[in-house]
Amino acid sequence: MIDKLANLDRRWIFVFLAISVILPLIWPLGLPVEISDMTRKYYDIVEKLPEGSYVCMSFDYGPGTKIECHPMAIATLHHLFRKKCKVVSLSLWAEGSMFPREAFAEVAPIYGAKYGEDYLELGYSSGGEAILRGMGEDVRNIFPKDMYGRPLDSFPMMKKVKGWNSFSLVCSWSMGTPGVAEYVRVVAGQYNRPVVAGTTAVTTPEAYPFFNAHQIGSLLGGLRGACEYELLVGIKNGQATRGIESQSSTHFFIAFLIILANIIYFAKRKEE
Amino acid sequence: MIVQFYVYPLNWLSDLFNDFYNIVLTFSFILGALSLFDVNGKKIVQQSPGWGYNLVLLISLVITLICGLFIAPPGHLPIDEGTAFDWIFKYLFNPLSGATYSLLAFYIASASFRAFRARSPEATVLLITAFLVMLFRVPLGEHLWHCLPFVGQFDISKFIEDWIMGGFNAAGQRAIMFGASVGLISVSLKILLGIERSYLGGD
Amino acid sequence: MRRLCLFLSLFLALSMSCWADEQTVIYRLNYNWLQKIDVADGKVLAERAVAGSENSTVEVTEHGVIVRQGNESKVYSKSDLTPIDLAVDSEKVIKSPLEDVKDKFTYQERRHWLIAGTETKIDGYNYWFSGTPQQIFTFGKNKISVLTENNLYIFRTFPKGNLVRKVSLRPIFDWTKWNNFLGVLIVAGCVFTCTSLAKKGKNLFIREIFGLSALDEAVGRATEMGKPVLFVPGVGEVDSTQTMAALSILGYVSDCTADYDIPIIVPNCSPIVMSMAQDIAEHAYIKAGRPDTYVEDYICYISGDQFGFASGTCGMMVREKPAAIFYMGTFLAEALILAETGYSTGAIQIAGTASASQLPFFVASCDYTLIGEELYAASAYLSKDPEQIGSLKGQDVAKAIIMILIILGVISVSLHWTWISCLWTVI
């Protein structure tokens, strides 16, 4: 029995894992989610923004990690539009440049926000940290036009936007490089602007030192962070909230696998 | 680039070199595309095993390129909403990337089963930490923890966030960051001064 | 040493010199007006009233400035107004304030103002916070005024004459980055010193790095099995130092594979890295006298997208069945996909990356892992070149200095020694 388990075909693991992911999606448990201090801090930072503040949102993730980062962006947009803030989006990742459009299309109509007056898409520009530095004094140095080719100065909301100092808050949702570290170095470090971040669960440990050093105001970590923030903002049945229960069952399954593996290991060691 | 970081009148050099880099990078994509056509084209011509997949690659490359550059309704850019490029991005690229990323979940499970053994005291500590973080950072784990007598009153998620993630993890990440950063400075200096030349391919 | 002295003296000379700098818009309260002043090259271009008149009142609150005229009032929030600089006579200098932001997320700010010189043409300054006029001082030479938190400060000047002009001077060297520069000097100094010691023949000990020692073993295994070697230089661009370090290791590995007459496969995520890898590998095989073993098509560009790259590389692994796989460079989420697929082919796997988030996956799936700086040490370790080994020792010395500084920093902050904790101010 021990030998059979030790040589278990990994495809059986894949099958059971798939079941553990799918079942909670079909039959949700409806468990309560405790809100962490970090998410509350993130919420408070956005809540304290004065009405009409300018916020920059950076969509630095790809389709693979959309499930973790996009709900954060959607929830933050809900929060910002509720406070009548003006949002300018950009992306340091080529794939990420299409996501602001999806996000704005989902959220803006609910609050009557209009393109060019309440939000704007700058699009993508390659260069990572160099882009952020170039935008420092004037956004138009890097993005003279918006994503659709129209001059920035033709939009009413851009009259008050110059460089990073024009923004009351900068949000970075990233899955790697370029991402949070670049915003910390340039926007928070050089221009001293408040930065908050949302990262995938894998890259959240990397962002913790920045949070502890107060270089970023707060951090949303992975699907859990997105779920907590959705609940705080009041989004019912959000994408992250629906996915968190699958994550619960999957984590328990992996923990069971680890326990099983260790039982097999110690049993085999005892035999020897 | 080092000097411009510290010297105000030379800050414009950063933008200049960045423009140079972007231009070179853009032209290098032509090089990449040519490589793709060359490698895959040879396999199609020679009808190597699996040449059908190479053909699919080239066809999808050409179609995406044409859609992204030329196909657009009047008055719209090719990347606008509702265009063919947008359709390819939403209904082909997004699901394919998502599917590939989701493979990670399966691979993590099989890697955990294979590799996470309590072989030594350090490995045991790692295991215990992994259990705590995995089980009690999800709603099901928190709910089960609160059902436990006595210990259930203790806020486990705060302990994980403040002590494990914010304490031990952050310290370890910082240590790796420091080491890697010092190594990065050293390698950069070696490359700039020509001490390190092996990446050039010559003697 | 001479060069170092020359560099330092040049730097000091430059840093002392100044030039007139352009100034941006200033908002200033002038009696009952909220005034906007455009200044360029030390000259006032235009002054115009934003709001207010002789009959208006201006009130400063914690949220901004309220200008009232009759029954109408308008609020100019903090984000509309730039922090005001003190307007002075052209002969006198006021340096820009050094901002020490305590907690910018609750909009509490604390500023130190540094005033230089004597202002003979300025009578004094008043400032307001929360609507109450307060006088700081009249004149001062290098006087520092520490303002309190959680208030917006608007300064009003009382010029003796009508002349109001602003010149802002700043030195060529950005003094706000002084500790950053000092850090670079320390690290560079350590590296140069140890490199010179190594060149003089001093024996420097380097501990064994198992992952690098196993490189030969891995290539040897591939030779015995008659299978190719796969080298993945990561998903980073050529501007990433990790990629450069990976290419250095590729040079060594391709020398080995060329000597043993086995092909090397290098899938790439960047076209520039691809062309560099082709150069490195081709040169290695030509040097070993085996140009026919080198297959240019094996060193190809897969995709710029990380998952496209991972899929293509996994396909190569499954088809070509390499006996040894090396993962060196920047890796993102695709690391585990590559490593697990490589494991399933039965190859020996050696990974090296400074991407901390992917290290656990490599450690779990690979036989050997180079963690962080071990990747950067690889070139020196493998070449055994005294200069490079010296630079490696220099790295270690710099790390020891950082450790000492960390301990000092912890002690100074714990004991509230603010005079020394400025060394650790994040720039």
Side-chain angles (χ1 to χ4, degrees), chain A residues 74-253:
Chain A
I74 298 282
T76 308
L77 271 181
H78 273 280
H79 202 173
L80 290 172
F81 282 147
R82 206 178 287 165
K83 295 187 67 62
K84 299 195 186 345
C85 291
K86 314 281 184 197
V87 180
V88 176
S89 77
L90 69 126
S91 181
L92 302 179
W93 286 56
E95 309 100 318
S97 60
M98 308 294 266
F99 294 128
R101 184 161 63 199
E102 278 183 41
F104 289 129
E106 188 180 323
V107 181
I110 300 171
Y111 300 93
K114 292 189 175 51
Y115 188 89
E117 290 175 24
D118 301 297
Y119 67 93
L120 193 91
E121 294 172 49
L122 295 178
Y124 160 73
S125 186
S126 69
E129 190 170 334
I131 298 300
L132 303 181
R133 288 193 196 283
M135 284 172 66
E137 298 303 322
D138 194 347
V139 165
R140 292 151 188 83
N141 289 340
I142 303 293
F143 297 101
K145 298 180 184 178
D146 75 341
M147 183 153 160
Y148 306 104
R150 286 165 283 187
L152 287 192
D153 289 330
S154 64
F155 298 105
M157 65 177 274
M158 292 307 287
K159 286 182 170 37
K160 285 187 177 170
V161 174
K162 200 114 166 64
W164 286 117
N165 285 325
S166 310
F167 295 106
S168 302
L169 186 68
V170 177
C171 307
S172 166
W173 295 292
S174 77
M175 58 177 273
T177 306
V180 177
E182 282 70 18
Y183 276 93
V184 164
R185 278 198 290 272
V186 180
V187 179
Q190 252 186 297
Y191 293 95
N192 223 8
R193 303 318 300 154
V195 173
V196 289
T199 55
T200 57
V202 168
T203 50
T204 299
E206 272 187 346
Y208 257 90
F210 300 131
F211 171 67
N212 285 353
H214 303 292
Q215 287 167 295
I216 55 173
S218 190
L219 182 62
L220 293 179
L223 198 67
R224 173 65 192 252
C227 171
E228 290 173 10
Y229 191 52
E230 277 182 351
L231 293 171
L232 276 178
V233 169
I235 297 171
K236 291 194 174 32
N237 209 28
Q239 217 174 13
T241 312
R242 280 179 275 139
I244 197 72
E245 294 199 355
S246 278
Q247 194 181 55
S248 296
S249 58
T250 312
H251 279 208
F252 270 78
F253 176 66

Side-chain angles (χ1 to χ4, degrees), chain C residues 376-421:
Chain C
Y376 297 125
S379 177
Y381 186 91
L382 293 169
S383 66
K384 305 268 188 282
D385 178 32
E387 268 190 339
Q388 296 212 32
I389 291 178
S391 71
L392 205 56
K393 288 305 282 186
Q395 251 176 261
D396 288 344
V397 172
K399 264 200 302 214
I401 294 173
I402 288 172
M403 278 193 270
I404 294 167
L405 287 174
I406 289 171
I407 294 167
L408 275 178
V410 167
I411 295 169
S412 72
V413 170
S414 307
L415 295 175
H416 300 289
W417 290 348
T418 47
W419 55 272
I420 197 174
S421 60

Side-chain angles (χ1 to χ4, degrees), chain C residues 317-344:
Chain C
M317 282 183 204
V318 170
R319 283 190 301 274
E320 307 294 337
K321 291 198 176 12
I325 304 175
F326 301 99
Y327 308 100
M328 302 286 172
T330 310
F331 287 91
L332 301 173
E334 73 290 341
L336 187 62
I337 297 175
L338 294 170
E340 277 294 295
T341 309
Y343 179 83
S344 71

